[in-house]
Every structure is written in structure tokens, then in C-alpha cells.
Amino acid sequence: MPKMNATAVARLAELVRAADRIFVLTGAGLSTESGISDFRGPNGLWTRNPAAARIFDIEAYRNDREVRVAAWRHRLDSEIRAAEPNTGHKILASWQHRAEVTIATQNIDGLHQRAGAQGVLELHGTFWQSRCLDCEYGCSTDVVFARVRDGEEDPPCPACGGILRTATVAFGQTLDPGTWRTAVQAAHTSDLAIAIGSSLAVQPAASLCDVALLNGARLVVLNAEATDYDPTASLVVNERIGPTLAAVDAALRA
Ligand code: NAD
Ligand code: ZN
């Protein structure tokens, strides 16, 4: 085993083995090992380029064509397009065969599903679908990419001429109510909640940890850096996600 906190691995394996209903909340840190930058980690997109945050501000996106042009260029170049699921995604999907495991993710990259996970709750939507901000039109984001490559810097909605955007939740937008309700319910009925690769700084997603805790679940935080939820957790593991989950999975199989 690589150098790792063996006690934490054994403890996490014990908690997973004992749990009947596990609620997993994942964040951008789970996908950094697939080559997708997170926002707030040491190598994060915003840590390197604070101006990039404007792309994720819905008012700026609506009002400023330059922001939309930059956003489409950014998406076309996005690391998400070439990424493959990693060990962590695959192990979490496999745990759905050993317990009732609900995965709620803040990620928009679709990698949980591509690793085989079922019923993934995409709290912040998906990069792979786009829709019009002004009418009901929606399409695969690949369709919009083809238009951008053909020279439309800010492709308008083909139905109404309105503004197209990926089906992702920007700051200033509310979460899909159905997805949110299902996530709250899953957190509420869980006996173990595991937050993985999230700074737990984005609300309301992080509050799902509170929902689980208030209902008596134990909380585990697996993240490279400290989070505000660490004091409430039964176990905090400040290690790399892939190797940690691989070690826990090996312990579960032993
Ligand atoms: P965040 O960027 O705020 O936090 C990520 C955390 O993961 C950091 O604390 C970092 O230290 C940790 N981390 C990074 N790599 C790690 C590793 N290999 N092992 C252990 N820890 C690691 O991410 P967030 O909490 O998900 O919030 C960011 C928002 O940005 C989300 O709302 C999400 O929608 C969006 N986002 C999504 C993606 C994606 O889909 N992959 C990527 C970037 C941002
Ligand atoms: Zn439209």
C-alpha cells in the first residue's frame, strides 16, 4: 500500500461495512485525478484565474456577450471533454452493489454515470446538455460545439433567438427542485454520509451534510484540505481520493 493513514482506511472500511444506507456527496476534487481542474484547490481554475468566475455568474452571462463568447471558448477547450472516469468513480459505482448508496454530485462532468453509477443526482446539472435561457429548447452540448467550431461565437437558440447555456447551475440560479428533494430525502434517511473531494463551501449542496447529521448519520470527510464540516465529522481523511478509496475497497474485500 502507498504511504497512507492505515488507521483512517481501516476506520472508513468499518463504517462502510456497517452502513445500510450511504449518502455520498462528491465535488470537483473527485475528478481532478481524471484531469479536470477543481475551482478552489491549490491548482483550481479560480485560484489560477479569478476572472474565470464571471463565466459562472448568471447575470454576467445574460448581460454581456463577451462573457458568453469566453464561456463557449472555455467549454470547447474544457478538460471535461477528454476526461475518463477514475478509480474513485469506479469504486463508488461498485459500492452500489454492496449497500444502498445514493450519489449526489456537484460535478457536471458525467463521470459517475460513465463509471456505471445508477441514479446519480446531479445537483449542479450537466455540461453535456445545453438549453435556452428564454424558451424550452434543449439539445446535446455537442450540437452547440459544432456551431461554435463553424464560427458562431455565441450561438443563439434556433427556436427563439435567445441565449444558450449549458444545463448547469450557475451562481445566482436555484437547483432543480426535484433533484434537490430527492437528495435531501437520501441524506435524511442515510446512516452514513461521505463527502468526497469538496471544499463544502458551496451552498445549499454542503448543507446535505447537515441534513444527514441532524438525522443521526455519521459524517466522513475525505478531502485533501480542511473543510468547515471537519469538526462535525466522525472521521476526517486528508488524503488523495483515488488511493484512499482503493485501499478502503481492498479492506472491504479482504
Ligand atoms: P472545490 O473546487 O470547491 O473543492 C475541491 C476540493 O477537492 C478542494 O478542497 C481540494 O483540495 C480537493 N481535492 C482536489 N483534488 C483532490 C484529490 N485528488 N484528493 C483529495 N482531495 C482533492 O469543489 P466543489 O466543492 O465541488 O465546488 C465547486 C463547484 O464547481 C461545484 O459546484 C461544481 O459544480 C463545480 N465544478 C465541477 C467540476 C467537475 O464537474 N469536475 C470541476 C470544477 C468545478
Ligand atoms: Zn429559445
Side-chain angles (χ1 to χ4, degrees):
M1 206 199 287
K3 192 169 151 278
M4 193 179 298
N5 183 339
T7 318
V9 166
R11 180 88 182 106
L12 180 49
E14 197 180 292
L15 289 168
V16 171
R17 192 179 281 121
D20 291 322
R21 285 178 307 280
I22 304 176
F23 178 74
V24 177
L25 174 65
T26 66
L30 177 62
S31 293
T32 58
E33 291 169 38
S34 292
I36 305 173
S37 308
D38 59 16
F39 282 171
R40 299 178 185 77
N43 255 326
L45 181 63
W46 296 354
T47 316
R48 287 179 284 135
N49 178 11
R54 264 176 79 69
I55 296 175
F56 302 89
D57 174 336
I58 193 67
E59 285 312 312
Y61 193 89
R62 237 187 212 294
N63 298 328
D64 188 344
R65 183 176 183 277
E66 287 310 309
V67 170
R68 298 195 294 276
V69 170
W72 282 114
R73 210 178 303 127
H74 174 77
R75 292 172 189 136
L76 200 57
D77 291 341
S78 172
E79 296 148 339
I80 291 177
R81 299 186 65 216
E84 297 291 334
N86 64 48
T87 307
H89 297 107
K90 290 175 194 163
I91 288 172
L92 291 173
S94 76
W95 287 0
Q96 289 187 317
H97 300 292
R98 59 174 309 127
E100 197 181 302
V101 178
T102 301
I103 299 172
T105 188
Q106 299 172 80
N107 298 342
I108 57 170
D109 54 33
L111 292 179
H112 279 297
Q113 293 91 324
R114 284 180 54 205
Q118 303 293 316
V120 177
L121 300 169
E122 293 181 301
L123 299 169
H124 294 164
T126 175
F127 174 91
W128 296 106
Q129 292 291 316
S130 289
R131 62 183 175 218
C132 178
L133 295 183
D134 304 299
C135 78
E136 296 298 305
Y137 177 82
C139 66
S140 157
T141 301
D142 283 336
V143 170
V144 190
F145 284 148
R147 294 176 60 189
V148 177
R149 270 195 303 262
D150 285 347
E152 291 182 83
E153 290 185 298
D154 170 32
C157 169
C160 78
I163 294 171
L164 289 184
R165 193 175 175 281
T166 47
T168 50
V169 177
F171 291 99
Q173 282 187 309
T174 49
L175 276 52
D176 174 71
T179 307
W180 177 248
R181 252 196 315 275
T182 310
V184 169
Q185 182 68 16
H188 186 76
T189 54
S190 68
D191 49 7
L192 177 65
I194 315 177
I196 302 176
S198 174
S199 59
L200 298 177
V202 177
Q203 294 294 1
S207 72
L208 290 166
C209 295
D210 297 303
V211 173
L213 283 165
L214 284 169
N215 220 52
R218 288 169 187 272
L219 174 67
V220 175
V221 176
L222 169 54
N223 198 55
E225 300 175 292
T227 77
D228 287 349
Y229 283 81
D230 294 1
T232 64
S234 299
L235 177 67
V236 176
V237 190
N238 294 132
E239 299 273 0
R240 283 192 61 202
I241 295 161
T244 304
L245 290 181
V248 171
D249 194 57
L252 286 169
R253 289 165 191 277

